[in-house]
């Protein structure tokens, strides 16, 4: 910020601008009289630097004290007019004294004339006003940047809360049925009970280890789906089958974590679970131009006229909201019923992990 405490680069640029203004003032002195360039620069450049620092700090803190949105316009104009007149008058007086001091030290240094003093006073008022305008613009830019940063932080917090809500929506019946199956297998087949316990632990570890603020590769998401289906297959046995077809390069594409989990859970609960002979859950993914296209498909009961139940509707709405929050209108999700199949199609922009050099 001009005139405010900042980094060295900004300060150097600010002082360089005022040194240039001092050089222009020296040029005016040369053009107005017989003053040599050396004496004029020795007089004008230090004087401009001093005024730049003084007016810069003064106008900066006045801009902070009198924000345009919080004060009447007449009050702001009155304060800055008085400040500009006082600062310029002091600068002109200091210039006269500095000129008198230099006359005894530098050959050819003329006395300050009234026309030049009037010019210097007017220039000081204008420069003070320009400094105030620059500070107001800088403060507005800083405010807008702070607002954008807070909006981004709120968006990330909302996404994290949304992922936590999604985790709480994992069907409680899935956990209850898994624990009941483990309990039943303990006395019948301890080996399978132990295997199911390890599979449930692996699923919970994978799901709870996902960070809401980063995207995961499709391969990681598919691994989570496999862990979920491995647990369900202990209950459904051969009635539940899984097929996947991941195209070249699609597995490395990024997507929000646990995006496919509610779709696969719906497929098992509302599709496979309603069929006596079970069915197949299929996941296919491919890169098509700038889009990653994912299809989640499952066999459904032909006699069931409703394509989705209440829980299925919540899961699909959750997926749509997460895509909208992450990609705005660049992503889409559509679902439809085709005879004995229910299909969900997702399209989202292709993103991959950046390659890091070791």
């Amino acid at each position: 910020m001009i005139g405010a405490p900042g980094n060295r680069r900004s300060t150097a640029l600010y002082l360089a601008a005022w040194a240039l203004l001092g050089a222009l003032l020296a040029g005016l002195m040369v053009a107005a009289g017989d003053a040599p360039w050396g004496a004029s620069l020795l007089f004008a450049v230090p004087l401009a630097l001093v005024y730049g620092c003084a007016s810069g700090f003064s106008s900066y803190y006045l801009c902070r004290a009198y924000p345009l949105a919080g004060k009447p316009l007449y009050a702001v104009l009155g304060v800055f007019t008085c400040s500009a007149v006082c600062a310029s008058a002091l600068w002109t007086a200091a210039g006269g004294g500095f000129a008198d001091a230099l006359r005894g030290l530098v050959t050819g240094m003329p006395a300050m004339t009234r026309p030049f003093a009037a010019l210097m006073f007017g220039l000081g008022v204008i420069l003070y006003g320009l400094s105030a305008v620059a500070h107001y613009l800088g403060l507005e830019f800083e405010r807008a940047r702070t607002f954008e940063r807070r909006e981004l932080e709120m968006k990330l917090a909302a996404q994290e809360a949304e992922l936590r809500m999604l985790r709480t929506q994992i069907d409680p019946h899935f956990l209850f049925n898994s624990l009941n199956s483990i309990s039943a297998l303990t006395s019948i087949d301890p080996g399978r009970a132990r295997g199911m316990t390890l599979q449930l632990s692996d699923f919970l570890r994978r799901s709870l280890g996902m960070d809401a603020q980063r995207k995961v590769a499709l391969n990681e998401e598919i691994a989570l789906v496999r862990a979920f289906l491995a647990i369900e297959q202990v209950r459904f046995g051969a009635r539940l089958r899984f097929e996947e077809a991941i195209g070249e390069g699609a597995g490395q594409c990024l997507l929000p974590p646990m995006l496919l989990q509610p779709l696969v859970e719906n497929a098992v609960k509302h599709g496979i679970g309603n069929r006596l002979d079970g069915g197949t859950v299929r996941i296919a993914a491919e890169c098509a131009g700038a889009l990653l296209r994912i299809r989640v498909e499952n066999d459904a009961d032909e006699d069931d006229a409703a394509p989705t139940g209440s829980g299925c509707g919540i899961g699909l709405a959750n997926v749509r909201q997460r895509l909208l929050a992450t990609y705005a209108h660049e992503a889409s999700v559509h679902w439809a019923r085709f005879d004995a199949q229910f299909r969900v199609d997702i399209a989202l922009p292709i993103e991959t992990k950046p390659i890091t050099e070791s």
Side-chain angles (χ1 to χ4, degrees), residues 73-344:
L73 182 59
Y74 67 86
V76 175
L77 291 176
V79 167
F80 277 96
T81 299
C82 294
S83 300
V85 169
C86 293
S88 185
L90 290 174
W91 186 46
T92 304
F98 189 43
D100 292 339
L102 286 178
R103 250 189 336 208
L105 301 175
V106 179
T107 303
M109 182 67 195
M112 182 180 291
T113 61
R114 286 188 177 183
F116 184 79
L119 176 63
M120 188 173 173
F121 175 80
L123 184 62
V125 172
I126 294 174
L127 290 176
Y128 193 95
L130 291 176
S131 178
V133 171
H135 281 120
Y136 271 127
L137 292 175
L139 289 172
E140 285 300 314
F141 176 76
E142 181 182 0
R143 186 182 66 83
R145 187 170 55 182
T146 301
F147 177 78
E148 290 178 358
R149 184 172 62 250
R150 290 178 180 175
E151 187 177 18
L152 179 60
E153 291 173 353
M154 291 176 61
K155 182 178 179 181
L156 292 176
Q159 289 180 357
E160 185 175 0
E162 190 174 16
L163 182 59
R164 289 192 185 129
M165 181 182 68
L166 175 62
R167 286 171 178 163
T168 62
Q169 288 179 352
I170 294 177
D171 192 358
H173 297 293
F174 156 68
L175 294 177
F176 297 153
N177 291 335
S178 298
L179 293 175
N180 289 335
S181 298
I182 292 173
S183 176
L185 288 173
T186 301
S187 57
I188 301 175
D189 192 342
R192 289 181 63 194
R194 181 176 180 277
M196 188 172 182
T197 303
L198 294 176
Q199 290 169 345
L200 180 60
S201 173
D202 180 63
F203 172 78
L204 294 177
R205 177 181 59 81
R206 289 177 181 271
S207 62
L208 295 176
M210 288 185 172
D211 187 355
Q213 296 185 9
R214 70 176 183 91
K215 297 181 177 68
V216 299
L218 178 60
N219 286 334
E220 297 181 49
E221 188 78 359
I222 296 296
L224 182 66
V225 168
R226 292 197 201 100
F228 170 79
L229 292 175
I231 298 170
E232 293 287 18
Q233 281 176 333
V234 176
R235 291 198 300 118
F236 287 92
R239 293 177 56 216
L240 175 59
R241 297 174 293 277
F242 176 58
E243 296 177 0
E244 60 178 278
I246 309 301
E248 183 179 358
Q252 288 72 43
C253 295
L254 302 180
L255 69 164
M258 296 187 70
L259 186 71
L260 303 183
Q261 165 63 28
L263 302 180
V264 175
E265 183 178 342
N266 285 340
V268 174
K269 179 179 179 181
H270 302 285
I272 309 303
N274 294 332
R275 292 169 56 92
L276 293 177
D277 57 347
T280 303
V281 177
R282 307 173 187 86
I283 296 181
E286 63 176 356
C287 296
L291 293 178
L292 171 65
R293 297 189 179 275
I294 304 173
R295 172 171 293 178
V296 180
E297 191 176 53
N298 65 271
D299 297 326
D301 189 357
E302 296 182 3
D303 298 329
D304 186 6
T308 59
S310 59
C312 187
I314 293 175
L316 291 170
N318 191 300
V319 171
R320 170 169 283 175
Q321 291 173 0
R322 293 189 66 201
L323 288 174
L324 183 63
T326 306
Y327 302 103
H329 299 290
E330 296 182 8
S332 63
V333 55
H334 302 281
W335 55 86
R337 173 74 176 268
F338 296 96
D339 296 330
Q341 291 183 340
F342 185 73
R343 180 183 301 167
V344 180

Side-chain angles (χ1 to χ4, degrees), residues 339-357:
D339 296 330
Q341 291 183 340
F342 185 73
R343 180 183 301 167
V344 180
D345 289 313
I346 298 175
L348 62 155
I350 290 180
E351 297 181 54
T352 56
K353 292 182 179 180
I355 300 176
T356 57
E357 298 181 358

Side-chain angles (χ1 to χ4, degrees), residues 18-58:
W18 276 97
L20 181 59
L21 289 173
L24 293 176
L25 182 61
L28 292 177
M29 291 179 61
V30 173
D34 298 329
W37 268 104
S40 299
L41 289 173
L42 186 61
F43 166 79
V45 173
L47 200 62
L49 291 175
V50 170
Y51 187 64
C53 293
S55 64
F57 279 103
S58 173

